[in-house]
Amino acid sequence: MAELRFEPALALADLPRGKMRACTIEGRSVLLCHTKDGLHAVDNICTHAWARLDEGWLRGHKLVCPLHGAVFDVRDGKVLKGPATVRLPVHRLRVVEGCLEVALDPAAPPQEIEF
Ligand code: FES
């Protein structure tokens, strides 16, 4: 198995509990979430149509899409409520000396970026 490549994302101090922040890792838009269950990294683009999830809402571990209201679990990317049917890719996250680092899921499908 290929070794995971962690890239620096942001300072842990910039992501208080209950907040989310988007960042770009190797050209991919990733959403970092700090919940009471810990730190999580998922894709920042909804799997239903095209929407940036950082423009939605984080309620506990539930992430609500701003466009049609799909709800995802940021802990495992699972769809909790449609209309989305495909889970969000989940990426690896670690903290090194106060810095959040992300390793992209090598199995994640290509992401369409429209900025
Ligand atoms: S684009 Fe997210 S629910 Fe439709």
Side-chain angles (χ1 to χ4, degrees):
M1 191 170 99
E3 200 177 309
L4 291 173
R5 202 168 81 212
F6 283 89
E7 299 285 337
L10 77 149
L12 177 58
D14 291 336
L15 188 67
R17 188 179 289 184
K19 298 292 183 196
M20 58 181 172
R21 289 276 303 269
C23 60
T24 303
I25 304 291
E26 295 177 24
R28 192 171 189 102
S29 186
V30 172
L31 186 63
L32 306 181
C33 304
H34 192 171
T35 73
K36 71 175 173 47
D37 299 312
L39 296 156
H40 311 280
V42 293
D43 260 16
N44 189 33
I45 307 301
C46 186
T47 58
H48 176 233
W50 200 95
R52 286 181 60 114
L53 293 168
D54 64 329
E55 293 173 357
W57 302 272
L58 181 64
R59 305 268 187 260
H61 61 270
K62 296 176 182 174
L63 177 61
V64 183
C65 177
L67 197 52
H68 309 111
V71 181
F72 300 92
D73 189 328
V74 297
R75 297 172 300 183
D76 55 11
K78 233 191 239 167
V79 177
L80 300 176
K81 179 176 166 284
T85 56
V86 177
R87 68 194 307 149
L88 278 178
V90 175
H91 308 291
R92 298 282 293 275
L93 189 58
R94 72 182 183 187
V95 182
V96 178
E97 295 175 357
C99 180
L100 292 169
E101 296 184 347
V102 174
L104 297 177
D105 175 0
Q111 186 183 58
E112 197 181 323
I113 302 270
E114 289 179 15
F115 293 105

